[in-house]
Amino acid sequence: MSRVIETKNLGIGYPDHPVGRGIEVAVSAGEVLCLLGPNGCGKTTLFKTMLGLLDPQEGEVWLDGAPLTSLPRNEVAKRIAYVPQAHTAHFPYRVIDMVLMGRTAHLGTFATPGSQDHERACQALEALGITDLAHAEYTRISGGQRQLSLIARALAQNTPTLVMDEPTASLDFGNQVLVLEQIMKLSGTGLSIVLSTHNPDHAFACANKVAILSDGRIAAHGSPAKVITPKRLRSIYGVDVSIEKLRDGQTVCAPTFAQ
Amino acid sequence: MDAKDATLNGRRVAAVPFIASLALLVALLALGAALVGAYPVPLGTLLRVLTGSDVADPTAQTILLQVRLPRVAAALVVGAALAGAGAVYQGLFRNPLVSPDILGVSTGAGLGAVLGIFLSLPLAFIQAFAFIGGLVTVGIVYLIASSVVGREPVLVLVLAGVVVGSLAGAMISLMKVLADPYDQLPAITFWLLGSLASTRPEDVLGVIPAVVVGLIPLVLMRWRINVLSLGDEEARALGVDAGRVRLVVVAAATLMTASVVAISGVIGWVGLVIPHIARMIVGPNFDRLLPSAMLLGAGYLLLVDTCARTMAQVETPLGILTAILGAPFFLWLLARGREGWN
């Protein structure tokens, strides 16, 4: 199977502050890779390096069989879309304008979005069920709605691959489920997705591959059932966890609280 | 639209009718401003002069063509350029306290002009010095900022602008101390406060092409400027070469600002407050923000300049008036809450 993202002996971080090294991660077409790891382990740094927003300290990132460094910015943005953590914007753009910005890589330097781009943006809003928000100001909607808008923007970017940095962080329970459902739906349409999360349940729910980043190295890499074990969670997070299979076949992790 | 929608959507007006009516209003203001002054001119005479017909009153013709119309045109161009550059910079630096002066263009132009006055050069040289001073200062700031690697580029740019700007300010002060207190010092002070009182027709004709040349890339790249206002990282993830677009935008906005400051002197607050108002009315999309801010800036500066030359016997420098009007308004904006920015 063709690999949409592949890191080769990748060192991440900054010249005076290395964050990780020897990182080898591969994502095949149509796969959902979930990155787990404790706070500050370098998940966001790894994502930014995969996207070419940070330079690798060593090694290389390959996108679709081409080294990232050989691609101009707009070519990278046609292959891989980034969904940052839901943030507050500085200016109150309308949601539709935010989503339209996803079309930028497909526009000429001096072009503004045309009717086809509008159509794409509206389709993306519809796919995420937030058509009603099209004319709302991005600064006034809730965190969950912002996250969905950013996912819509990534869809409008029309790339085969999405990278999502903690798409469920800072969302309430309902919105977390909503976003996970969207990720499963998107994966069903053939998109490759890389996401990070703090919740191992989410990996069980939507990923077919899990990688654990700990102390700047990939500690484990493989199917969720193989990688997410009580022993490993204990060594990463320092807490005891029991992993249970529910009657409907779903797998969940439950902490065993110290009495 | 129900109440919830109205809150989410904010209050905004439809852009196209707003911009069209604003343009009409500014045109009417300009006609009105050309009529009033120490030598009032009837509308009929103005229209005859504008259409090139013969006029019975040669004094009125001379005043209109040599003094008043150039001054009206200068107010429009200077106001539009400052507000346009301010709108661009606020988006680029993602900061509501940013004005076109942030990278030191005005202080650099001031330094150039003061040097010209200090050397007792003719007016054309003073203007040329101001223009070059503005461009060189921003150029130095940009070079310093790009030689610093591994830090947030926008922050480094702003800090370099502040440092180089205050260095230029110190040199201005030095020349004020050394200048002839009866002849040069008043000229320096007057220049640094901004005025259109001595605008000549050739000043306006000289500055318009420079402003247009600066404006063209801003208009062409208006969508990329929107994307850049999300921040470097997001813009790059969306496929924009952030560093290159920023260079073009800074160069264009600097060209616009330096060329108008060269004929008007330093006029503060227009480039800070007007883009805010425009953003509150039409939203942050640069497509609409740029024309709205430029029209509002043109109309505002024309109004202020017309008041400056008609209200009192002695003309008040423009920079003082725009500060007196701008400062309380800006405080009101702050007190009102973060409308139009976050």
Side-chain angles (χ1 to χ4, degrees), chain A:
Chain A
M1 231 190 311
S2 73
R3 292 189 158 165
V4 289
I5 305 178
E6 191 172 4
T7 69
K8 298 181 173 177
N9 190 31
L10 189 67
I12 58 170
Y14 307 86
D16 46 354
H17 176 59
V19 174
R21 52 188 309 197
I23 294 170
E24 307 241 341
V25 180
V27 185
S28 302
E31 218 170 40
V32 179
L33 170 73
C34 185
L35 192 64
L36 286 172
N39 277 332
C41 71
K43 295 190 292 285
T44 301
T45 312
L46 174 57
F47 281 176
K48 285 182 179 169
T49 314
M50 277 180 176
L51 287 150
L53 302 178
L54 285 175
D55 289 331
Q57 296 306 304
E58 57 179 346
E60 304 190 286
V61 177
W62 284 55
L63 296 182
D64 273 340
L68 176 76
T69 44
S70 72
L71 299 169
R73 233 13 280 175
N74 65 330
E75 286 301 319
V76 175
K78 282 179 192 169
R79 286 169 167 75
I80 181 165
Y82 181 42
V83 182
Q85 290 187 31
H87 50 39
T88 48
H90 291 263
F91 297 110
Y93 287 107
R94 297 197 181 287
V95 168
I96 183 78
D97 286 335
M98 279 299 265
V99 175
L100 273 170
M101 291 199 206
R103 300 296 304 158
T104 306
H106 302 276
L107 299 172
T109 309
F110 301 138
T112 52
S115 58
Q116 280 193 338
D117 300 302
H118 272 273
E119 217 166 278
R120 286 253 184 206
C122 290
Q123 283 167 4
L125 288 173
E126 206 181 309
L128 290 157
I130 50 170
T131 306
D132 293 351
L133 290 180
H135 292 281
E137 289 179 2
Y138 182 80
T139 43
R140 294 180 188 234
I141 58 180
S142 73
Q145 292 171 326
R146 278 203 284 268
Q147 189 67 63
L148 291 174
S149 309
L150 291 176
I151 298 174
R153 186 178 74 184
L155 285 188
Q157 204 168 328
N158 195 30
T159 58
T161 310
L162 302 186
V163 172
M164 305 175 144
D165 193 0
E166 293 187 22
T168 54
S170 72
L171 299 188
D172 68 34
F173 190 69
N175 276 320
Q176 290 189 15
V177 174
L178 204 68
V179 166
L180 285 177
E181 279 173 351
Q182 289 300 340
I183 292 171
M184 289 182 243
K185 212 168 104 189
L186 295 175
S187 150
T189 65
L191 285 176
S192 315
I193 298 173
V194 184
L195 73 153
S196 61
T197 175
H198 282 301
N199 192 336
D201 289 354
H202 295 173
F204 278 122
C206 67
N208 22 49
K209 233 168 151 190
V210 175
I212 291 184
L213 189 63
S214 177
D215 288 331
R217 286 179 179 278
I218 296 292
H221 192 239
S223 72
K226 235 170 63 190
V227 171
I228 306 175
T229 60
K231 198 178 146 202
R232 197 161 270 130
L233 291 180
R234 156 115 215 131
S235 78
I236 298 164
Y237 295 111
V239 292
D240 290 316
V241 175
S242 70
I243 294 173
E244 305 292 338
K245 224 172 169 98
L246 301 183
R247 245 173 295 169
D248 62 358
Q250 205 181 321
T251 312
V252 293
C253 303
T256 39
F257 293 104
Q259 292 300 314

